[in-house]
Amino acid sequence: MLGLFDSGLGGLTVLRRVRDRLPRADLIFFADQRHLPYGDRELGDLEALLRDNLAWFDGQGVEAVVMACNTSCAIGQTRGWPASHAMVFDLIEAAAIAVERAGYARVGIVATAATASSGAYGRAIRSRSPGTRVAEVGAPELVPLVESGQTEGAQARDAVNRARAALPGDLDAVVFGCTHYPLLEAHFTRAFGPEVELLDPAVEQAARVERFAEERGFDEGSGRTVYVTSGDAGHFRAQLLGLGVPGLELGDVKHMEEE
Ligand code: DGL
């Protein structure tokens, strides 16, 4: 079984990429909605949440944890990864691999405040692509807007425009440095225009996980996804239905204490 986690709905943008590549794998998706938004929290707090989440997955017996939260990866990178029995796939590392492969010279990162201020993206990209210029900006308004379903209004549009204005004008690509942001892709496309490529690290993340699952035989299961939240399970289910998650059944959405 493979586990994925995020603070909330953003992780679904990673889950959908993994599911596309591994239609028969058994997946467990954990949304730590009780502690949302991660991006505004103190580093020590985030470190404890990362440790607790990895320990919870150990308790579930997962073979791999597919990180679906950049903020937690930024903490793992800057403060050290907590011990885990599972193989842990780092999303920021996946982004750095994708940037290296594309050969971008100028990259912008839009991320949560915690991720942007950690500088983890810049370090990960420059260690693989030393000549690449990286500019990072935090966009703390966006996660609460996505979680409350306000993806289409002027508030989200204006916040994305502000992030664009804070980055250099001559970018080759902009990275979705938070997994909630692909749900705002239309605003990003309009704000950055056709010259700037939008890079979703989840694409590379899913490709790496597919290779691992095939090698270890975790690709052949029932194809079920169990959704677990630390918040309100009824609310989470309504959010999933609102987003149109395919094949969702009532028993698939649980509170973490039911697991
Ligand atoms: N979606 C998460 C990320 O990729 C964190 C969002 C949040 O809770 O601030 O960083």
Side-chain angles (χ1 to χ4, degrees):
M1 188 160 59
L2 307 176
L4 297 92
F5 89 83
D6 183 30
S7 58
L9 300 179
L12 298 170
T13 66
V14 180
L15 177 67
R16 71 184 175 190
R17 303 278 186 188
V18 171
R19 180 52 86 201
D20 280 353
R21 286 182 174 267
L22 295 167
R24 295 175 52 78
D26 290 318
L27 305 178
I28 177 161
F29 178 82
F30 175 56
D32 189 14
Q33 292 180 303
R34 191 155 81 89
H35 298 112
L36 186 87
Y38 272 20
D40 298 345
R41 289 182 171 273
E42 300 293 320
L43 296 189
D45 213 4
L46 290 166
E47 196 176 5
L49 292 170
L50 174 60
R51 193 187 52 233
D52 291 352
N53 292 342
L54 291 180
W56 183 80
F57 275 120
D58 273 348
Q60 302 296 312
V62 304
E63 280 87 8
V65 175
V66 182
M67 296 298 293
C69 175
N70 291 273
T71 308
S72 299
C73 294
I75 292 302
Q77 290 207 1
T78 44
R79 297 226 162 175
W81 286 91
S84 167
H85 294 304
M87 168 89 182
V88 177
F89 286 89
D90 178 346
L91 191 54
I92 295 181
E93 184 62 21
I97 292 169
V99 167
E100 182 184 20
R101 184 174 311 114
Y104 298 129
R106 294 167 301 263
V107 179
I109 314 293
V110 185
T112 64
T115 300
S117 64
S118 77
Y121 257 100
R123 283 191 298 278
I125 291 174
R126 282 190 297 268
S127 78
R128 288 180 172 271
S129 313
T132 298
R133 269 191 5 232
V134 184
E136 304 179 58
V137 64
E141 305 96 325
L142 295 179
V143 168
L145 288 171
V146 170
E147 288 288 326
S148 59
Q150 299 178 74
T151 52
E152 268 150 40
Q155 268 182 291
R157 182 200 61 205
D158 294 349
V160 174
N161 285 342
R162 277 194 296 278
R164 202 288 163 256
L167 289 168
D170 60 349
L171 298 175
D172 300 322
V174 65
V175 177
F176 290 125
C178 168
T179 54
H180 281 72
Y181 301 170
L183 296 168
L184 301 165
E185 185 169 351
H187 294 305
F188 277 79
T189 302
R190 262 194 304 275
F192 285 88
E195 312 280 274
V196 181
E197 286 189 40
L198 300 181
L199 191 151
D200 185 351
V203 174
E204 182 64 33
Q205 181 77 325
R208 297 162 82 209
V209 172
E210 181 186 28
R211 284 195 294 276
F212 169 83
E214 283 175 355
E215 275 164 29
R216 307 285 181 95
F218 302 140
D219 53 333
E220 290 298 326
S222 66
R224 182 162 182 239
T225 307
V226 176
Y227 296 87
V228 182
T229 181
S230 59
D232 183 86
H235 176 64
F236 187 37
R237 182 160 193 279
Q239 288 179 307
L240 295 173
L241 288 172
L243 285 169
V245 171
L248 188 69
E249 287 171 27
L250 192 59
D252 293 341
V253 187
K254 300 177 181 174
H255 186 269
M256 66 188 299
E257 275 150 28
E258 292 172 52
E259 270 299 289

